């Protein structure tokens, strides 16, 4: 079952809809019941495969999520009976059989149980014991519903490589006995930051792909926004959850204008603003307002506010770069980072002139953390060009081009380099 498969008939459409809307809920519930990530995922996959045949014969059930949950639990029982190597097999079988005998189908309206189970799954997939690529892959697989092949294509690795990465992550969860639970209150802020970081990285890779021949990987942007919406439903009182969703919505609103019909990169100041998605902009601004009302400022809210200033300006020339520079300063105080300093330097350069921006940029050029960071050299080239130093700008563009693995970005940098001459 693929997250973006195109159903050809009503039953296939119903199965695809259940996969999209219910799979993460069913998986989260079954992991709690069987205590095994891989067993639960295999059983859920079995249940969806069975649904295709059974629903064709008997019709689509009134509550597809409950049907899938019951079918998955029974498939898990079958798998446990066949697998004699599971250490606590008897206990798991007894519990699953007890639930099945009681017809313990969770109501898809039992919001508290669903929230608890899905939160457990979010925090398990994003556990700090897993390395970041594994967290991203596992989150997309378990919560986003993307297939291993889809995730591999999105991150430009071979499908077997991605498959091994996901299997290793699940094995580590089992071997390290990573608890399937929501962190305690004192752990929650740090752990939630890690969860938000995973979603943010997924969106960033979709918004500006690091490699390949596409600038935007729409499927990753869509999945990140879907995960952000899920987090907002699960944690509606956290300001940064709303801030991240606002940030993604505001960036995504410009998707259609970021490349021209021939696939060429279009810079923000040259974009056709009539192509921006006004509904998505209103949605992003409303989510940012909701975040701000919670009165707990954070890095994603500040980034969303910066993006809102860019979007709300009537044209590129009217952008309030001085206020954007101030917001980057606030962001740097909250979350010090050389990348934030780079963005502040660019904003200052656009607000107060290239010389002011170059002065802030200078120390970043010797920062080892940014040695191979292409946007640093692209920004350096742009400010040098604006300041009239064509020779220096050319050297900086050449460095940026050498570090660029995305074909669309490389073509744009080469065009800018050529324009200097």
């Amino acid at each position: 079952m693929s997250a973006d498969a195109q159903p050809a008939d009503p039953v296939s459409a119903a199965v695809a809809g259940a996969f999209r809307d219910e799979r993460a809920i069913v998986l989260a519930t079954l992991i709690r019941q069987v205590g095994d990530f891989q067993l639960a995922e295999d059983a859920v996959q079995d249940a969806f495969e069975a649904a295709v045949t059974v629903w064709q014969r008997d019709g689509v059930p009134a509550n597809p999520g409950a049907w899938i949950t019951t079918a998955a639990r029974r498939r898990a029982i079958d798998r446990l009976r066949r697998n004699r190597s599971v250490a606590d097999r008897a206990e798991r079988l007894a519990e699953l059989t007890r639930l099945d005998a009681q017809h313990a189908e969770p109501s898809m309206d039992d919001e508290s149980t669903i929230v608890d189970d899905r939160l457990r799954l979010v925090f398990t997939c994003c556990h700090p014991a897993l390395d970041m690529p594994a967290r991203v892959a596992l989150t997309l697989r378990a919560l986003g519903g993307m297939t291993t092949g889809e995730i591999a294509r999105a991150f430009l690795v071979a499908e077997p490589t991605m498959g091994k990465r996901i299997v290793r992550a699940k094995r580590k969860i089992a071997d390290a006995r990573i608890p399937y639970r929501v962190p305690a209150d004192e752990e929650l802020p740090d752990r939630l930051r890690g969860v938000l970081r995973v979603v943010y990285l997924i969106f960033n890779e979709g918004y500006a792909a690091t490699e390949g021949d596409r600038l935007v990987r729409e499927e990753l942007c869509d999945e990140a926004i879907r995960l952000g919406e899920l987090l907002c439903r699960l944690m509606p009182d956290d300001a940064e959850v709303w801030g991240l969703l606002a940030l993604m919505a505001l960036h995504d609103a410009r998707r259609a204008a970021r490349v021209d019909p021939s696939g060429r990169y279009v810079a923000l100041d040259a974009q056709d603003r009539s192509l921006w998605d006004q509904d998505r902009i209103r949605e992003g601004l409303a989510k940012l307002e909701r975040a701000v009302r919670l009165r707990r400022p954070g890095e994603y809210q500040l980034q969303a506010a910066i993006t809102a200033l860019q979007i709300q300006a009537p044209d590129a020339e009217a952008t309030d770069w001085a206020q954007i520079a101030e917001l980057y300063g606030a962001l740097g105080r909250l979350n010090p980072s050389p990348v934030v300093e780079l963005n502040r330097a660019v904003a200052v350069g656009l607000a107060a002139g290239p010389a002011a921006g170059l002065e802030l940029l200078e120390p970043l050029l010797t920062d080892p953390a940014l040695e191979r960071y292409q946007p640093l050299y692209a920004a350096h080239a742009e400010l040098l060009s604006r300041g009239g130093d064509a020779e220096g700008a050319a050297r900086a563009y050449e460095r940026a081009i050498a570090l660029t693995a995305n074909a669309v970005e490389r073509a744009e940098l080469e065009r800018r380099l050529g324009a200097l001459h």
Side-chain angles (χ1 to χ4, degrees):
M1 173 67 60
S2 165
D4 58 1
Q6 296 299 312
D9 59 75
V11 169
S12 296
V15 173
F19 186 91
R20 183 183 62 249
D21 299 334
E22 311 283 9
R23 178 185 176 278
I25 299 173
V26 175
L27 179 61
T29 298
L30 199 61
I31 291 172
R32 171 171 54 82
Q33 292 176 352
V34 306
D36 185 307
F37 202 113
Q38 187 62 56
L39 173 60
E41 189 172 55
D42 290 343
V44 169
Q45 188 66 28
D46 290 347
F48 275 104
E49 289 171 3
V52 175
T53 302
V54 176
W55 294 4
Q56 287 281 7
R57 185 190 68 211
D58 300 341
V60 178
N63 191 333
W67 190 98
I68 293 289
T69 301
T70 300
R73 188 167 59 233
R74 288 172 181 168
R75 295 309 187 280
I77 290 170
D78 292 343
R79 282 177 173 271
L80 273 173
R81 283 175 176 153
R82 293 196 301 269
N83 187 353
R84 298 182 179 277
S85 65
V86 177
D88 55 350
R89 172 171 164 271
E91 292 86 341
R92 293 189 196 182
L93 268 173
E95 175 61 12
L96 286 174
T97 305
R98 182 187 67 78
L99 288 169
D100 202 52
Q102 292 177 347
H103 303 291
E105 297 179 350
S107 166
M108 293 296 113
D109 300 321
D110 185 355
E111 187 64 23
S112 63
T113 300
I114 288 171
V115 166
D116 287 348
D117 283 343
R118 294 180 97 178
L119 272 178
R120 289 187 190 101
L121 185 54
V122 167
F123 283 103
T124 302
C125 289
C126 299
H127 196 280
L130 303 174
D131 63 27
M132 188 57 77
R135 289 187 229 174
V136 168
L138 197 56
T139 300
L140 285 171
R141 183 79 184 89
L143 288 152
M146 292 178 73
T147 66
T148 302
E150 287 165 346
I151 301 167
R153 286 193 297 277
F155 285 91
L156 301 174
V157 300
E159 186 169 345
T161 301
M162 183 59 72
K164 289 174 185 172
R165 184 178 293 172
I166 293 170
V167 167
R168 281 196 302 269
K170 293 175 189 169
R171 188 177 298 135
K172 183 159 190 175
I173 288 171
D175 293 348
R177 299 190 179 278
I178 290 173
Y180 179 61
R181 64 175 178 82
V182 179
D185 288 349
E186 62 272 15
E187 299 174 67
L188 193 56
D190 283 342
R191 287 287 302 281
L192 180 59
R193 273 194 289 272
V195 170
L196 296 179
R197 180 73 178 160
V198 168
V199 177
Y200 182 62
L201 288 174
I202 291 168
F203 182 81
N204 274 359
E205 182 58 31
Y207 185 73
T210 50
E211 297 181 32
D213 56 5
R214 285 190 295 157
L215 178 67
V216 180
R217 297 186 180 279
E218 295 86 353
E219 67 279 12
L220 284 181
C221 291
D222 292 343
E223 287 302 328
I225 289 170
R226 203 150 71 91
L227 290 168
E229 289 168 344
L230 169 62
L231 287 173
C232 284
R233 289 199 298 276
L234 298 180
M235 307 186 76
D237 297 323
D238 190 278
E240 277 291 78
V241 170
W242 288 103
L244 176 57
L245 184 55
L247 173 65
M248 295 190 295
L250 292 172
H251 275 310
D252 193 60
R254 300 181 295 199
R255 183 194 294 187
R258 295 183 60 230
V259 292
D260 68 14
S262 67
R264 197 184 82 172
Y265 179 94
V266 182
L268 175 61
D269 59 359
Q271 286 175 12
D272 179 353
R273 296 182 175 221
S274 70
L275 296 176
W276 291 358
D277 185 336
Q278 296 303 317
D279 289 339
R280 182 52 65 91
I281 289 171
R282 283 190 287 274
E283 173 194 328
L285 293 173
K287 285 171 171 53
L288 177 57
E289 185 180 341
R290 177 159 181 172
V292 171
R293 282 203 306 269
L294 291 167
R295 298 186 178 279
R296 289 191 294 277
E299 59 177 303
Y300 296 113
Q301 294 167 73
L302 283 168
Q303 289 188 59
I306 289 165
T307 307
L309 279 173
Q310 294 173 324
I311 279 181
Q312 291 178 299
D315 53 52
E317 290 71 28
T319 304
D320 190 345
W321 287 107
Q323 190 176 348
I324 289 173
E326 286 184 19
L327 287 171
Y328 272 123
L331 182 57
R333 290 188 293 276
L334 188 69
N335 184 28
S337 153
V339 173
V340 172
E341 283 305 301
L342 166 59
N343 287 320
R344 186 169 78 91
V346 171
V348 167
L350 293 170
L358 287 166
E359 185 179 347
L360 292 174
L361 201 66
E362 202 62 40
L364 300 176
L365 293 167
T366 57
D367 187 333
L370 297 179
E371 184 180 5
R372 299 191 58 78
Y373 189 59
Q374 177 261 93
L376 169 63
Y377 302 98
H380 190 211
E382 181 67 17
L383 288 175
L384 287 169
S385 175
R386 286 173 180 263
D389 182 357
E391 189 177 326
R395 287 195 299 272
Y397 274 131
E398 287 165 359
R399 174 73 170 144
I401 289 165
L403 292 171
T404 301
N406 182 279
V408 178
E409 287 186 341
R410 185 187 302 109
E412 173 61 13
L413 292 169
E414 288 171 344
R415 184 193 68 77
R416 294 184 188 184
L417 174 60
L420 290 174
H421 306 302

